[in-house]
Amino acid sequence: MAKSHTQFVCQSCGHVSVKWAGRCAGCGEWNTYVEEVRAPAQARSFGRTGVQTGPQRIPDIPSQLEARVPTGFREYDRVLGGGVVPGSLVLIGGDPGIGKSTLLLQFSHTVAGRGHTVLYISGEESANQLKLRAERIEATHENLFVLSETDLDLAVRAVEQVKPDFLIVDSIQTVYRPSLTSAPGSVAQVRECTSALLRLAKDLNIATFIVGHVTKDGNLAGPRLLEHMVDAVLYFEGERHHAFRVLRAVKNRFGSTNELAIFEMKNEGLEEVANPSEMFLSERAERTPGSAVVAALEGSRPLLLEVQALVASSSFGTPKRMSTGADHNRVSLVMAVLEKRLGLQLQASDAYVNLAGGMRVEEPAIDLGVALAVASSFRDRPLADGDVYIGEVGLTGEVRSVSRLEQRIREAEKLGFRRCLVPMHSLRGWRYNGTIQVIGVSTVQEALDLAL
């Protein structure tokens, strides 16, 4: 009979070592090795049960469209690429308390109301706790089954008994396989449980959603292999002190990874936001120095956001620079351009930049709005009312073109803005036929003269 052996496994990357070390040889992290007992190898079939096929010529494979199941959430369908693909495995991550379980419980109720059977397996809450939360958000459909279980083998038996169309496991760090000696949440358990759920989803054609915990760095806990195994990886994020939540796709085998969904957290659960631009600008104060409206693009959706800047005299030798929602490096670059090309003496001032509403935008198309908001606060003069600013700022002070300009302008026109300052290069050979006035600018100085 084969003996068990002790090994040390890194909890960050899954690297295996025969002896303990302070630093992982695979990822370089410190104090991540955990001792595990390696069970003797057993004969195991890795092939899929059922059909056995050999190599095929790709032109001979019949083409067929994947039938997608709508979730009842238009925003959720947008992120998934048009709906849920049967047999897919989707991983959803996010900070604790952000609303992952609430989102999945509402989703379960919605698809159950469309005639589908849903099995919700929770390793973190009891059945009574699930019932209390389900009653609060009114998710009590008769086609929704719940099970409080951490033993994956027993959970698989429940799946074979219920035969659901949708399976939800909350969370992958709490379930375990008794055949493995490592603790729940370890690299070996997470890898093996995810592999078992992947085979279950593909063999029985069950759309499966698993919840993953995140580390303090914001990355999904467990081995990086976890993200490679699943079909889609979604991040549910947002500031806990804001009511808005954003669902982003960072991997999607069945759709785009540039889409996002915006929800608002209420007492009754999550509610879709139909017009996020109007929502983000609803509390904007008019004719206030340091405030500018920009048009960002997230996937195929244009968003109008308010950029707020505050420039104040510094009490220390080194001025402070802070940014919330915008890329800190881009903000520093824009401020350096304002100092060098426009002559603004910002080296003795603290500067704070914020995207109102808790949104996070990394695209450079908001550079022009950031630059004008900082200049407006520095001069203590409000920008022209009814303006929207679009453009990337270069190191020489030029305003560079951005993608999908017409979509951004249409969103600004829909919300009643009167002028739109855009890169001059984007207007060459193109004219916008609408009521909003589109003005091309070549430099930040030219844009500032028009805005003030």
Side-chain angles (χ1 to χ4, degrees):
M1 181 177 178
K3 295 182 179 180
S4 300
H5 299 280
T6 298
Q7 62 185 9
F8 295 87
V9 181
C10 174
Q11 300 303 295
S12 294
C13 67
H15 185 268
V16 179
S17 174
V18 295
K19 62 180 180 179
W20 186 88
R23 187 178 186 183
C24 174
C27 63
E29 295 290 331
W30 290 89
N31 299 322
T32 56
Y33 278 120
V34 173
E35 184 178 7
E36 295 181 0
V37 178
R38 182 178 59 187
Q42 298 177 352
R44 183 181 301 175
S45 173
F46 291 94
R48 233 188 252 181
T49 59
V51 183
Q52 204 166 21
T53 60
Q56 295 176 276
R57 298 179 186 272
I58 195 166
D60 299 337
I61 301 175
S63 300
Q64 59 181 20
L65 295 176
E66 289 286 354
R68 294 180 182 268
V69 180
T71 64
F73 288 94
R74 187 178 59 181
E75 296 291 304
Y76 203 2
D77 290 341
R78 179 203 297 269
V79 175
L80 291 173
V84 182
V85 177
S88 61
L89 182 62
V90 180
L91 173 64
I92 299 181
D95 293 331
I98 205 68
K100 303 182 297 296
S101 301
T102 301
L103 174 67
L104 289 174
L105 196 56
Q106 286 185 256
F107 158 76
S108 302
H109 172 74
T110 305
V111 295
R114 293 171 174 257
H116 301 286
T117 304
V118 184
L119 176 59
Y120 191 109
I121 299 176
S122 176
E124 301 178 348
E125 297 178 278
S126 66
N128 291 332
Q129 290 174 322
L130 283 172
K131 178 65 181 298
L132 288 175
R133 186 152 52 87
E135 289 178 340
R136 178 174 60 85
I137 62 177
E138 298 181 355
T140 55
H141 198 278
E142 60 181 6
N143 287 340
L144 173 58
F145 295 82
V146 297
L147 173 66
S148 179
E149 183 57 67
T150 56
D151 188 331
L152 187 64
D153 293 343
L154 296 179
V156 170
R157 294 178 191 172
V159 171
E160 294 172 347
Q161 176 186 354
V162 177
K163 295 182 173 59
D165 301 310
F166 292 84
L167 172 65
I168 296 171
V169 179
D170 185 9
S171 65
I172 191 63
Q173 274 81 15
T174 58
V175 296
Y176 70 97
R177 302 207 74 173
S179 58
L180 296 179
T181 57
S182 54
S186 63
V187 169
Q189 286 285 3
V190 169
R191 182 174 57 238
E192 184 65 23
C193 291
T194 304
S195 177
L197 290 172
L198 177 63
R199 293 193 297 269
L200 186 69
K202 303 303 180 185
D203 292 343
L204 302 181
N205 202 34
I206 300 173
T208 305
F209 293 80
I210 58 178
V211 175
H213 295 166
V214 296
T215 63
K216 61 182 180 180
D217 299 326
N219 299 318
L220 283 166
R224 197 69 179 180
L225 180 65
L226 179 64
E227 299 183 41
H228 293 284
M229 294 171 66
V230 299
D231 295 314
V233 180
L234 309 180
Y235 274 90
F236 200 46
E237 57 191 30
E239 298 290 338
R240 295 191 64 177
H241 303 293
H242 287 84
F244 308 121
R245 303 288 187 266
V246 177
L247 184 68
R248 298 176 186 268
V250 297
K251 174 189 176 181
N252 191 356
R253 289 175 178 161
F254 309 112
S256 172
T257 57
N258 296 320
E259 299 292 350
L260 63 80
I262 300 178
F263 299 89
E264 183 177 4
M265 177 65 79
K266 296 186 176 180
N267 292 332
E268 300 79 18
L270 292 161
E271 184 176 311
E272 293 179 287
V273 177
N275 193 340
S277 297
E278 185 176 8
M279 177 196 65
F280 286 126
L281 299 178
S282 60
E283 300 180 21
R284 177 173 175 259
E286 297 182 356
R287 305 295 297 172
T288 303
S291 175
V293 178
V294 298
L297 197 68
E298 291 287 350
S300 60
R301 158 178 281 174
L303 292 176
L304 295 189
L305 304 170
E306 180 190 5
V307 176
Q308 297 176 337
L310 177 62
V311 180
S313 299
S314 178
S315 304
F316 305 97
T318 303
K320 195 172 186 178
R321 304 281 190 260
M322 288 186 62
S323 61
T324 304
D327 183 29
H328 180 75
N329 294 328
R330 298 292 306 179
V331 172
S332 300
L333 181 150
V334 167
M335 295 187 64
V337 170
L338 292 177
E339 289 189 27
K340 182 70 174 179
R341 306 301 177 189
L342 276 70
L344 300 185
Q345 302 300 317
L346 299 172
Q347 63 270 19
S349 301
D350 295 334
Y352 307 89
V353 175
N354 174 50
L355 283 183
M359 278 294 295
R360 177 173 56 86
V361 178
E362 296 181 354
E363 72 159 345
I366 68 171
D367 287 353
L368 183 59
V370 172
L372 296 183
V374 171
S376 169
S377 179
F378 178 76
R379 295 185 177 180
D380 201 24
R381 292 176 56 189
L383 300 175
D385 192 26
D387 283 2
V388 175
Y389 310 104
I390 306 170
E392 177 185 353
V393 174
L395 292 179
T396 60
E398 82 278 12
V399 180
R400 306 177 69 89
S401 59
V402 298
S403 62
R404 299 185 183 179
L405 180 62
E406 187 173 356
Q407 286 183 262
R408 304 173 195 257
I409 296 175
R410 283 180 179 173
E411 184 73 10
E413 183 181 20
K414 185 172 66 174
L415 293 183
F417 286 88
R418 296 189 291 270
R419 290 197 314 177
C420 193
L421 273 61
V422 303
M424 179 68 75
H425 184 77
S426 299
L427 297 181
R428 294 179 181 176
W430 178 79
R431 182 180 296 275
Y432 181 72
N433 297 321
T435 58
I436 191 172
Q437 183 183 6
V438 180
I439 303 175
V441 293
S442 301
T443 63
V444 179
Q445 181 66 65
E446 183 181 350
L448 185 59
D449 294 339
L450 287 169
L452 293 178

